[in-house]
Amino acid sequence: MADRASVATRPAPDGAGPTAATDGAVKVVMFNVAYSPNLGDGVIADCLSHALRTSFAGAIVTSVDLAGRTERGAAGPAARRLAQLALLQRMPRPVKDLVVALSLGPRVVRTLRPAWRRALDGADVAIIGGGQLFQDGDLNFPLKLTGAAAECRRLGVPIAVFGVGAAPSRSPVGRALFRRLLRMPEIVHIAARDPQSQAELGRLGGENVQLCRDPALLAAEVWPAPPRRPRTRPRVGVGVTHGALLRHHSDGGTVSPEETTDRYARVVASLVEHGFDVVCFSNGAAEDAEALAAVGEAICRSDAAEHAVTAPRRETPGELATLISGLDAVVSHRLHACILAYAYRIPHIGFAWDPKVRHFFDLVERPAYCVPFDRDAPKTIAPRVVAALTEGIAADAHARVLAETRTGLRALRRAISDAMEAGSRRRMAAIGETEGASLCP
């Protein structure tokens, strides 16, 4: 690993300003999807970055987006993404894998890997960190993660896998690629964000897979909640997700996007009837923004219009966190809308569409508040919100979850420190062998 002889700066989370790192500073490169339009991914990245800079004073922490994005921008048109999802859904597994490999493989080799190689120059450790990265519904993540890991091996950079979710493998090719990655000698630490993901990583060949909490649970430390104003009607946030995305990722979901929009609108109407003000929002993905606009139009035509609004798209993870921190309750399909709510001790209801949502509610001991988004949802959600507000989130349980989150991060820190120390010993030994050889006649 290269020595660093200059001062470097890297962006901090929203509003925190740059962090300076001087000679000898730890350089951490995180592989994630930090600049995804879905701001939940950025929340994870910023919270993990914050924790690492806290652990290693003056650390240089850089996020390398696996999609090749270098900054956070507005979500692009949804039509292309929706068309791709529809096409992939119709393809048999072998055909889907072939199409993704042929379209993505050359870009990984020619564009992404050279960029990753440059980012890894002088790195002390790489972290594959946060989000549902170990999934092979198509070969997107298997191809990208193994490519990134190959660049780490080329440069001798140790790899930690931390805070990730893992879904059951669906592709023999994807499974083989993940197995190759997890068995690399460069892997120094593996920690999954829930027991099911922990078991999946073990089945994929990971050794000594530990359990950790999602770094996004520390969001209130990164973006402190603003003061609350008194309200006569509690304000409930309803996170909107596009029906096509729900069908693509859920197990056997058959509800059409039009039916999904109608169901959201009726959930909002029920909440208003029960005395709530409602703020509809999205996590930022283009297709979700499209769905949010459709829900907003339906609300405007209903009697709920006086007490329901749609929030403008948030541009940064911090803006999403601030929006959620100002609510009294949250209802959402999106995992990180629910995690942000928990981080701020805001009662929340999760719609069960992907196992990762159910896993989170089980882990925070709130399984009764993870419910189906079925035809009865418009009738049942408002009473559940009332129950959630009445019960609240116990301060001691919340403190325990945050303490466990910090424990997992301390284990990551120890693994990084041990890997750096081992690398230093190897370099010193190599220097000693070279000097010893120079003294030989």
Side-chain angles (χ1 to χ4, degrees):
M1 300 167 204
D3 293 329
R4 286 168 297 284
S6 62
V7 174
T9 60
R10 291 293 184 272
D14 309 320
T19 295
T22 56
D23 297 346
V26 176
K27 179 177 179 180
V28 182
V29 175
M30 300 193 304
F31 287 99
N32 49 35
V33 281
Y35 302 129
S36 166
N38 175 7
L39 296 173
D41 295 308
V43 168
I44 304 169
D46 280 1
C47 289
L48 182 52
S49 177
H50 168 81
L52 290 167
R53 288 198 311 275
T54 301
S55 295
F56 298 99
I60 306 170
V61 183
T62 305
S63 278
V64 176
D65 191 296
L66 290 163
R69 294 170 290 235
T70 57
E71 60 184 7
R72 193 171 288 113
R80 181 179 178 184
R81 166 71 170 158
L82 294 172
Q84 289 173 338
L85 289 176
L87 180 61
L88 289 173
Q89 286 170 351
R90 292 194 296 268
M91 290 181 181
R93 167 64 50 200
V95 175
K96 183 187 298 187
D97 283 354
L98 180 61
V99 167
V100 174
L102 290 175
S103 61
L104 182 59
R107 183 166 182 263
V108 170
V109 173
R110 296 171 187 167
T111 304
L112 296 178
R113 286 186 60 166
W116 297 338
R117 196 176 309 144
R118 292 190 294 272
L120 286 164
D121 182 36
D124 294 293
V125 67
I127 299 177
I128 295 172
Q132 193 84 345
L133 298 181
F134 283 80
Q135 58 175 318
D136 59 9
D138 57 47
L139 293 183
N140 178 54
F141 283 124
L143 289 171
K144 290 175 178 176
L145 289 178
T146 52
E151 292 303 325
C152 292
R153 166 171 280 186
R154 178 200 293 260
L155 297 172
V157 178
I159 304 168
V161 178
F162 185 79
V164 296
S169 179
R170 299 180 183 180
S171 162
V173 176
R175 185 163 54 251
L177 290 171
F178 281 148
R179 187 176 297 274
R180 181 190 305 172
L181 187 163
L182 292 170
R183 290 183 171 179
M184 288 175 60
E186 286 77 14
I187 297 288
V188 298
H189 185 69
I190 306 176
R193 68 185 178 190
D194 58 68
Q196 292 75 17
S197 296
Q198 182 184 30
E200 290 297 338
L201 291 177
R203 281 189 280 271
L204 288 169
E207 295 184 359
N208 189 29
V209 181
Q210 299 182 24
L211 190 62
C212 67
R213 295 279 188 174
D214 194 300
L217 286 162
L218 300 180
E221 295 181 4
V222 182
W223 305 287
R228 285 178 171 271
R229 297 178 180 177
R231 298 188 182 113
T232 56
R233 293 170 62 99
R235 182 174 297 169
V236 179
V238 175
V240 174
T241 304
H242 198 286
L245 188 70
L246 300 178
R247 296 181 73 178
H248 182 69
H249 288 287
S250 63
D251 296 326
T254 57
V255 179
S256 70
E258 293 75 20
E259 291 173 300
T260 302
T261 297
D262 177 68
R263 201 165 288 178
Y264 275 124
R266 288 190 290 121
V267 166
V268 170
S270 177
L271 288 166
V272 169
E273 289 173 6
H274 279 75
F276 296 107
D277 285 339
V278 179
V279 179
C280 296
F281 68 95
S282 82
N283 276 28
E287 56 272 23
D288 288 1
E290 181 178 283
L292 178 62
V295 171
E297 291 175 3
I299 291 171
C300 287
R301 297 191 297 267
S302 74
D303 294 336
E306 183 180 353
H307 293 285
V309 298
T310 56
R313 180 183 183 274
R314 270 36 193 176
E315 301 295 334
T316 67
E319 290 180 4
L320 178 64
T322 300
L323 169 68
I324 289 176
S325 72
L327 299 169
D328 297 299
V330 170
V331 177
S332 183
H333 282 92
R334 287 289 191 180
L335 173 61
H336 280 86
C338 295
I339 289 179
L340 280 171
Y342 190 90
Y344 293 101
R345 283 187 64 202
I346 295 170
H348 48 286
I349 308 293
F351 288 127
W353 66 292
D354 186 300
K356 65 188 179 185
V357 179
R358 173 71 67 184
H359 297 162
F360 170 70
F361 277 81
D362 288 343
L363 276 172
V364 296
E365 300 177 355
R366 303 183 74 251
Y369 295 107
C370 186
V371 301
F373 187 61
D374 55 21
R375 61 171 57 93
D376 293 328
K379 300 177 183 177
T380 60
I381 292 304
R384 287 185 184 273
V385 171
V386 172
L389 284 167
T390 301
E391 180 179 333
I393 297 174
D396 57 345
H398 184 263
R400 184 176 66 252
V401 167
L402 296 194
E404 291 169 358
T405 307
R406 297 185 189 97
T407 297
L409 288 161
R410 284 195 295 271
L412 174 63
R413 185 195 192 286
R414 287 194 298 272
I416 292 174
S417 297
D418 290 348
M420 291 172 59
E421 185 177 339
S424 179
R425 287 197 299 267
R426 285 193 299 269
R427 288 193 296 274
M428 292 301 295
I431 292 171
E433 290 174 4
T434 301
E435 291 177 347
S438 68
L439 296 175
C440 295

